[in-house]
Amino acid sequence: MRTADRFCDLAGFDPGREEAVVYAHDGSQLTLIEIDGVRSIVSAEDFLHNVVERFAAGISQILKRPGHQISISYESSLNTAKVIDPFVDGQGRRARQKALAVEALIEEGRTVLEEHARSETILLAAWTRPSAGTPEEVRREAKENRQAWEALPPARDAQNPYLHLGALDGPHGAFVRRILEALSEARLQGRIVGPDEKGRRRDLEAIRAAVLYHETPSGWSPYGPGTRRYPGAKERHDDDVSEFFAPNVARQIMTANATASPNLRSVEIGGRRYALAVMRMFPSTLLPFNRLVETLLESSSKSADVPFRVCFHFEALRDGDLGFRLRKVIAGLLAFASPSNRNLFQALRELENVVDRDGEAVIKARVIATTWTEPGEEPGLLERRRSYLTSAMMTWGEAVMTDAPHNPMRALCETVPGMTLQSAVPPGSIAPLGDVAAMLPFHRVAPVFGQGQTMLLTPDGKPMPYEALSAEQLFWLTLIYATPGSGKSVLMNRMNVEFTAFSAGTRLPFLAVIDVGVSSSGFIELIRNALPAERRHEAYYVRPLNTAEHAVNPFDLGLGRRTPLERERTFVVNFLITLLKVNHPEIAQLVPRLISRVYQLKSDLEFSSSASSYQPGVDAEIDRLVEHHAVRVTAKTRWWQLVDAFVMRGVHTAAMRAQRHAMPLLEDLSRVLSEPVIAQDFTPELVRSVQRALEAAIEKFPIFARPTRLDLGEARVVSIDLQDVAQRHKSEEAERNNALMFMIARHVYLSKISGFADEIPMMDFPAETGLRTAYERYWIARYHEVAETPKRLCMDEYHLTGGVETIARQVKSDAREGRKWGLELILVSQLLADFDTLADMASTVLVLNADSNEIREQARKTFGFDGAVKSALERHVHGPHGRRGANFLARFKLRDEERWVVLNNRLGPRMLWALTTRAEDRQVRDELYRRMAVNEALRVLSARFPEGTAIELWTRVAAASRAGDARIVTTIVDQILGETTAERSAPSSRARVTA
């Protein structure tokens, strides 16, 4: 048993140096780089080309010269806490800020991640040795450093502040830059690991945690050179003053004792027991690293998950040494080898050709691996894991593997890139860098976002944050292709729950779901019941009818505006063209003219206008408010005057209600059509056609023909269910009807939250200074609140609109403009054709199912992916698979690149219960919500029905009941609560009996 710092070669660092560099005892410089993996799905051929022809070739010239070496490790384990804990803690913090009681879902989300996630880390250590510098400069600086250090009082255990060799700065900086450039050229995502904003050394934390995982807290950082605030008490009677200074980095990293087993097959340190596997001879066939990972993950089912780390060490050969020895060996073989056994030296001939080639580097390569057991795991498990690791590596191209022949602690440290300056335990193999590069562990798909509201997994368990409204995306338009039964409702509702609960801010975001059916009702019920009682109006579910009682006037504008802004005009134009459905080439010119004129007609700011007059009895609430606020009215009072009066009194809700009666209506267009100027500029046939279409629309759609009565009030999270106004049969008229209903539902929501402060100068308010100032003050405050609030609009069942041209045009306009005011737009369709004109500007695409080659090919043409993505779609995406969740293909278009990745949506029973769309289960859940808090209700339901449904119990109770659904629900919930009460009281009852 002994302290292990002597196995670590790291000596110190300069806290004042901008570059992330650590020094070894001899002044060698180290920079640590973390590699996330490939940026997008690629074929095996393209990956090999990228790694060999771009990455390896990119660093070959540097590695051909002595003085540079790299170590690359891949680690996979179930130690996901450092990824999961900060994410889940952030979810809890943001939910509490909003006073949303969703702890049960947060707990379950953590459990699902812990059960299925695997932690992956790829690190690259770039070393530059003194031999890379100019010899004279290195010798001079080393001498000066030694003299400066010796001039200080003796302190052999202190951190030496004189390790920096300036002669290495240029070569090391160039080496690191070339590695990063080569990674980028190979389409790999990587970054330097260095000090964070508080100066904590994340690189040294990663190196320490690789051995002392359980003893390295997040944010750990060593002390740099300098005196200690509280010096240690001196124990030795000599001149050494190490106690006054911070110890060297090795002593701060390796703080635990290590114990090797008697047979040297394992070593115990920091609570873990490690076993080593050393590659004594390289494989005869170099296979991609993902073959090894797949083998070990398959073994995991037998061995309770194999954590492992594999480390590659590459270093330059000494000048001329290899070429001379090769020629000597070949000459010796030729002296006695007959033509029939020339295979004895054929491989050496090939290596000689590589050595003579200018663009290729021949390097010395070593490979070493380790696996381990965690504290508390049974002792025999380590031996099984070592066997699986060794076996997997031997079948990975037929390598020769052994235990660490001696000094297992040194071998363990050599599995950690950056901990040791020189690898010595594994025997080196001479190989072209391009050949060995094929084995490198860069095949894993890199995360697209560094943060997010939702944590998804790849099919093999890698955590992948999903961030809505990412600053990395130029547009926020998400397209979801989902066939029936593909898990669309579950994914959409989960995304909306987590967007609502875990977005930044202290208030709920603005979110609306336009749906046809009840699939989003569970989401609304969850949010409503998770809010405090006094705030439950902030979540609202509405199911409008085509009646005057649910009227929404498409001509409504923002408070105080007499004429529309450009985005409002765009909507009204698209809506009217769809509503009138007049097939005439000049309709696109007539409709904008009608709109301009009708707003002029109903404005009180125009010289010749007919603004609507206030009439008592039209709106009883306005009558009451007029009296309450002492607003003076006469027979000539106009609605706009009431709007202005309420605004001056600061009663904005009343002002908005009054303004509904001041807005133009569809019937006002008839008057505009009869004006002489319209007859002069357009043909009588067109005017008559529009007039007839207008009359038919007023009769057919009372929901569009009256002042707005459908009021979302102060709701921030809403579901507008178009079940009663949409038509599901396939016809041109049904698609037009549905497009209109989607557009008017969109208008209801976006009228609350659209726009940004730059629009205020363009708003058409009365000229009186005090009144205009009041309006501007309102809009400044309104936009200030809205601008800081995340916003999302979801249109589900978008295929029911048939991709009507005007709604597609409106979606494009919303996607372009919405980025300015923080709106994400999500469209969900069962038809790929709906996305033909939208795919190019979509920031995110999700494909939830593609079971036939015909659909996969159509998706490829629509979204423009290549054969590798199509192959991934065929292999991995097939809809929900029970407890394994549902895989889906995702495309994220970032500012400068496009990323494809396969993700997995896996939920626990609590979330499934919260989002269920089955009518019987919804009734059971909602009855429990009425009787207890939402967290407790979900815990009870998931414990009693872990499959996420109570349909079997419902069927049994229904068979014995004659009183209808209400009685069935009551019976089931009474039974559930009775069982829960009995289970909870059982332990205490037994305790009393024992006593």
Side-chain angles (χ1 to χ4, degrees):
M1 182 180 297
R2 61 197 305 176
T3 55
D5 61 280
R6 72 186 188 92
F7 299 109
C8 177
D9 294 330
L10 299 177
F13 62 94
D14 183 357
R17 185 171 178 179
E18 186 175 339
E19 298 85 1
V21 173
V22 186
Y23 305 121
H25 298 286
D26 64 352
S28 295
Q29 297 191 9
L30 162 72
T31 295
L32 198 65
I33 297 171
E34 184 169 7
I35 300 171
D36 297 319
V38 296
R39 294 180 177 272
S40 188
I41 295 172
V42 294
S43 66
E45 295 77 14
D46 287 342
F47 171 76
L48 191 62
H49 173 79
N50 288 340
V51 172
V52 173
E53 301 298 330
R54 294 180 176 175
F55 175 73
I59 64 173
S60 285
Q61 289 303 316
I62 293 181
L63 279 184
K64 289 184 77 169
R65 301 190 296 270
H68 296 292
Q69 59 197 55
I70 61 175
S71 301
I72 301 170
S73 75
Y74 172 89
E75 179 176 314
S76 175
S77 74
L78 294 180
N79 296 118
T80 55
K82 290 185 178 180
V83 175
I84 294 173
D85 287 353
F87 181 83
V88 174
D89 291 346
Q91 286 186 323
R93 183 173 59 255
R94 288 188 285 272
R96 288 191 298 273
Q97 287 176 331
K98 299 176 181 66
L100 269 175
V102 290
E103 293 83 3
L105 296 181
I106 296 173
E107 294 165 7
E108 180 180 72
R110 181 196 293 273
T111 300
V112 170
L113 288 173
E114 289 174 343
E115 288 178 353
H116 303 289
R118 287 190 73 92
S119 172
E120 291 186 348
T121 306
I122 306 172
L123 295 176
L124 184 154
W127 281 104
T128 300
R129 306 288 297 270
S131 56
T134 306
E136 294 79 10
E137 291 185 34
V138 171
R139 280 195 296 269
R140 177 181 53 79
E141 289 188 81
K143 180 179 179 181
E144 292 172 355
N145 287 346
R146 187 169 57 254
Q147 290 173 347
W149 176 238
E150 291 173 351
L152 296 177
R156 60 178 174 271
D157 293 333
Q159 190 172 156
N160 186 348
Y162 302 108
L163 293 170
H164 177 218
L165 296 174
L168 300 187
D169 291 352
H172 185 69
F175 185 35
V176 172
R177 286 192 300 273
R178 185 76 280 265
I179 291 173
L180 292 174
E181 290 167 0
L183 288 172
S184 180
E185 291 163 4
R187 300 277 296 146
L188 297 167
Q189 182 170 299
R191 64 199 169 279
I192 292 174
V193 184
D196 63 12
E197 65 281 356
K198 296 181 179 179
R200 294 175 297 199
R201 297 300 301 235
R202 295 294 188 182
D203 48 356
L204 294 173
E205 177 189 345
I207 291 172
R208 186 179 195 270
V211 172
L212 300 176
Y213 179 84
H214 298 288
E215 298 181 7
T216 305
S218 180
W220 176 88
S221 188
Y223 290 99
T227 58
R228 293 161 61 175
R229 182 175 183 181
Y230 303 106
K234 190 170 181 61
E235 303 293 341
R236 297 188 303 270
H237 299 288
D238 57 21
D239 294 335
D240 192 276
V241 292
S242 298
E243 294 83 0
F244 286 85
F245 300 93
N248 64 45
V249 169
R251 283 187 174 273
Q252 297 184 63
I253 288 178
M254 305 299 283
T255 56
N257 292 330
T259 304
S261 64
N263 59 8
L264 298 183
R265 299 192 74 177
S266 66
V267 61
E268 184 172 353
I269 184 171
R272 280 181 174 176
R273 293 178 62 239
Y274 293 90
L276 285 304
V278 176
M279 186 175 287
R280 296 205 62 81
M281 191 169 81
F282 260 56
S284 58
T285 303
L286 301 184
L287 298 177
F289 192 83
N290 59 344
R291 298 278 190 91
L292 174 63
V293 175
E294 289 166 2
T295 302
L296 283 166
L297 292 182
E298 289 171 3
S299 298
S300 293
S301 60
K302 310 172 209 172
S303 61
D305 297 300
V306 178
F308 65 97
R309 180 166 61 243
V310 179
C311 191
F312 301 79
H313 297 279
F314 301 151
E315 61 183 284
L317 295 172
R318 287 178 295 177
D319 289 338
D321 182 57
L322 175 61
F324 173 77
R325 288 188 295 126
L326 266 178
R327 290 172 178 82
K328 186 175 180 180
V329 172
I330 290 172
L333 288 172
L334 283 171
F336 68 85
S338 65
S340 62
N341 62 2
R342 286 177 180 255
N343 61 320
L344 285 172
F345 55 90
Q346 186 60 41
L348 297 181
R349 277 288 199 194
E350 294 175 2
L351 189 58
E352 182 184 31
N353 292 334
V354 173
V355 171
D356 294 335
R357 203 180 305 151
D358 288 338
E360 181 71 272
V362 177
I363 48 92
K364 186 185 295 183
R366 309 171 193 262
V367 179
I368 188 167
T370 184
T371 184
W372 57 87
T373 54
E374 304 291 356
E377 290 187 318
E378 56 102 357
L381 185 57
L382 180 62
E383 186 59 28
R384 293 202 301 274
R385 287 178 174 172
R386 188 200 64 80
S387 298
Y388 286 127
L389 176 62
T390 301
S391 174
M393 294 193 70
M394 290 180 71
T395 58
W396 179 43
E398 301 181 2
V400 175
M401 304 296 300
T402 66
D403 297 333
H406 57 81
N407 206 338
M409 189 62 215
R410 174 71 189 190
L412 174 61
C413 290
E414 289 185 12
T415 69
V416 183
M419 183 168 285
T420 59
L421 180 59
Q422 182 74 45
S423 177
V425 173
S429 294
I430 297 172
L433 178 60
D435 288 6
V436 180
M439 304 169 65
L440 291 177
F442 296 157
H443 63 290
R444 316 304 284 175
V445 177
V448 179
F449 304 108
Q451 59 185 0
Q453 301 85 11
T454 295
M455 182 68 81
L456 299 164
L457 300 173
T458 61
D460 50 10
K462 185 172 184 176
M464 302 284 273
Y466 176 85
E467 182 181 19
L469 305 176
S470 170
E472 296 299 313
Q473 297 182 297
L474 294 176
F475 293 100
W476 293 327
L477 171 63
T478 297
L479 306 180
I480 301 179
Y481 169 66
T483 55
S486 60
K488 175 263 298 179
S489 295
V490 171
L491 177 63
M492 275 289 302
N493 282 309
R494 175 195 177 171
M495 289 170 59
N496 284 336
V497 167
E498 295 179 340
F499 180 85
T500 301
F502 309 137
S503 289
T506 58
R507 300 198 64 188
L508 293 185
F510 289 109
L511 187 154
V513 180
I514 301 173
D515 202 357
V516 182
V518 299
S519 62
S520 59
S521 62
F523 154 60
I524 296 296
E525 281 298 303
L526 171 66
I527 299 301
R528 195 179 71 82
N529 285 279
L531 285 166
E534 67 276 10
R535 290 180 51 203
R536 289 184 177 170
H537 60 277
E538 294 182 22
Y540 183 50
Y541 172 86
V542 60
R543 190 166 169 171
L545 301 171
N546 184 17
T547 64
E549 286 70 26
H550 292 89
V552 180
N553 183 7
F555 292 99
D556 280 346
L557 302 177
L559 181 62
R561 293 200 286 271
R562 273 63 170 176
T563 55
L565 297 168
E566 189 57 37
R567 58 179 171 80
E568 293 171 319
R569 177 183 293 275
T570 298
F571 164 73
V572 181
V573 168
N574 288 330
F575 184 85
L576 283 183
I577 288 176
T578 310
L579 178 69
L580 298 175
K581 198 197 170 191
V582 174
N583 187 17
H584 192 283
E586 293 187 8
I587 190 68
Q589 288 78 46
L590 175 58
V591 167
R593 286 279 298 276
L594 294 177
I595 291 169
S596 296
R597 179 57 185 146
V598 79
Y599 279 110
Q600 290 175 357
L601 190 67
K602 304 303 288 186
S603 171
D604 62 336
L605 305 183
E606 299 288 333
F607 179 73
S608 57
S609 64
S610 301
S612 299
S613 297
Y614 166 66
Q615 293 177 318
V618 171
D619 189 325
E621 178 63 14
I622 291 295
D623 296 341
R624 185 188 68 79
L625 292 168
V626 164
E627 181 178 354
H628 178 76
H629 293 283
V631 178
R632 183 175 176 273
V633 295
T634 68
K636 296 182 178 181
T637 298
R638 296 173 175 178
W639 283 105
W640 277 120
Q641 290 174 280
L642 289 186
V643 176
D644 296 341
F646 285 134
V647 167
M648 290 299 289
R649 289 165 171 78
V651 191
H652 299 119
T653 302
M656 286 185 277
R657 187 178 182 110
Q659 183 170 317
R660 296 174 185 172
H661 301 283
M663 290 285 98
L665 298 174
L666 286 177
E667 63 186 27
D668 295 317
L669 293 178
S670 297
R671 177 176 170 183
V672 175
L673 282 168
S674 65
E675 291 183 343
V677 67
I678 299 296
Q680 292 172 6
D681 294 343
F682 298 94
T683 64
E685 291 81 9
L686 174 59
V687 173
R688 283 196 299 271
S689 296
V690 172
Q691 185 68 56
R692 286 195 299 269
L694 185 61
E695 292 169 358
I698 291 172
E699 180 178 357
K700 182 175 181 179
F701 297 110
I703 189 174
F704 307 143
R706 298 288 183 270
T708 295
R709 296 187 66 179
L710 179 60
D711 188 358
L712 301 180
E714 297 181 15
R716 300 172 73 89
V717 178
V718 300
S719 171
I720 304 174
D721 182 358
L722 303 180
Q723 178 71 34
D724 296 323
V725 292
Q727 300 174 13
R728 287 193 174 271
H729 63 274
K730 182 72 174 176
S731 72
E732 186 178 345
E733 185 58 30
E735 290 170 350
R736 182 177 76 100
N737 171 86
N738 296 340
L740 289 168
M741 295 304 171
F742 271 81
M743 291 173 79
I744 206 66
R746 165 223 173 264
H747 178 62
V748 169
Y749 169 66
L750 288 191
S751 62
K752 289 169 58 69
I753 55 94
S754 55
F756 55 106
D758 291 350
E759 294 178 337
I760 295 175
M762 296 176 278
M763 294 182 181
D764 184 22
F765 299 136
E768 294 91 332
T769 302
L771 189 52
R772 182 170 185 87
T773 300
Y775 277 116
E776 290 178 345
R777 209 165 33 235
Y778 166 81
W779 281 108
I780 289 171
R782 178 65 179 161
Y783 282 149
H784 178 73
E785 177 196 2
V786 169
E788 296 180 352
T789 304
K791 293 170 279 291
R792 172 183 284 177
L793 171 62
C794 307
M795 292 187 183
D796 203 350
E797 307 285 348
Y798 181 71
H799 53 275
L800 294 179
T801 68
V804 170
E805 182 183 355
T806 47
I807 192 170
R809 195 158 58 227
Q810 185 63 57
V811 166
K812 287 184 177 180
S813 176
D814 289 343
R816 283 191 297 268
E817 295 294 317
R819 183 67 165 81
K820 300 175 185 176
W821 27 280
L823 173 73
E824 179 189 18
L825 187 62
I826 298 180
L827 303 182
V828 186
S829 177
Q830 296 178 15
L831 300 175
L832 284 166
D834 288 343
F835 298 146
D836 284 343
T837 62
L838 298 171
D840 286 344
M841 70 181 304
S843 56
T844 301
V845 170
L846 307 180
V847 180
L848 271 59
N849 203 358
D851 276 337
S852 71
N853 187 63
E854 180 182 0
I855 292 177
R856 289 190 289 271
E857 185 60 25
Q858 186 181 358
R860 185 189 65 78
K861 292 178 180 177
T862 301
F863 300 123
F865 52 73
D866 60 19
V869 176
K870 182 182 176 183
S871 177
L873 185 61
E874 182 177 6
R875 289 197 316 271
H876 298 296
V877 181
H878 303 288
H881 285 275
R883 292 182 179 273
R884 289 184 292 164
N887 293 340
F888 61 92
L889 178 69
R891 181 197 80 181
F892 300 101
K893 187 179 286 187
L894 307 183
R895 290 180 178 273
D896 55 355
E897 63 179 339
E898 187 174 279
R899 309 275 288 270
W900 288 93
V901 61
V902 174
L903 300 173
N904 176 266
N905 179 38
R906 194 188 306 245
L907 302 181
R910 295 177 187 175
M911 184 70 89
L912 290 174
W913 266 108
L915 304 180
T916 183
T917 58
R918 191 193 295 268
E920 297 87 348
D921 291 331
R922 285 191 291 111
Q923 292 181 64
V924 172
R925 178 200 64 206
D926 294 347
E927 178 64 21
L928 264 180
Y929 281 173
R930 283 188 282 272
R931 301 198 195 186
M932 59 177 60
V934 63
N935 280 309
E936 188 63 17
L938 293 176
R939 290 186 181 109
V940 167
L941 285 169
S942 64
R944 178 63 177 81
F945 306 102
E947 296 301 320
T949 178
I951 191 63
E952 290 186 9
L953 179 58
W954 179 285
T955 302
R956 291 200 304 272
V957 173
S961 175
R962 300 179 182 177
D965 282 3
R967 179 59 186 162
I968 296 172
V969 171
T970 302
T971 302
I972 290 174
V973 172
D974 287 345
Q975 179 178 329
I976 294 171
L977 293 179
E979 292 171 354
T980 302
T981 302
E983 290 171 0
R984 290 176 177 174
S985 62
S988 59
S989 299
R990 285 194 296 270
R992 284 195 297 272
V993 170
T994 303

